Amino acid sequence: MGLFKKKTEKKFYDPDRQKPVIHCSICNGEQVAGFRDLETGRFDEVMLIRSDSDLQKFRDEYGISGDIEKEY
């Protein structure tokens, strides 16, 4: 029964200072979603992407629309 559904919290990032990025490994194909700081270039990992549903969850949690850049 769905009496107590887990609610997904909206998380926020500063689009003026950060941009969403997916790090892709050339060796094993692992993908990690996170944010790149535009001033320092630092990458902060948020979650491991194993499937399209994980990517959609990342988009929904942070309210991201459009394409997300992939970095290798």
Side-chain angles (χ1 to χ4, degrees):
M1 299 197 98
L3 294 176
F4 300 103
K5 291 184 180 181
K6 185 176 180 180
K7 296 180 182 178
T8 57
E9 289 184 30
K10 276 280 194 184
K11 298 176 183 176
F12 298 98
Y13 74 101
D14 186 1
D16 295 331
R17 297 186 61 210
Q18 299 173 315
K19 73 174 182 176
V21 175
I22 297 177
H23 263 211
C24 302
S25 172
I26 295 173
C27 298
N28 59 12
E30 182 179 78
Q31 296 183 354
V32 178
F35 296 97
R36 168 131 352 253
D37 189 308
L38 297 175
E39 293 176 9
T40 64
R42 180 177 170 211
F43 179 75
D44 294 318
E45 293 181 3
V46 175
M47 69 184 299
L48 180 65
I49 304 295
R50 295 186 195 135
S51 65
D52 289 336
S53 64
D54 289 340
L55 181 58
Q56 190 59 46
K57 181 180 176 184
F58 175 69
R59 288 177 178 274
D60 292 342
E61 283 183 0
Y62 290 94
I64 299 170
S65 60
D67 292 333
I68 299 176
E69 180 181 336
K70 289 188 177 183
E71 294 181 350
Y72 296 93

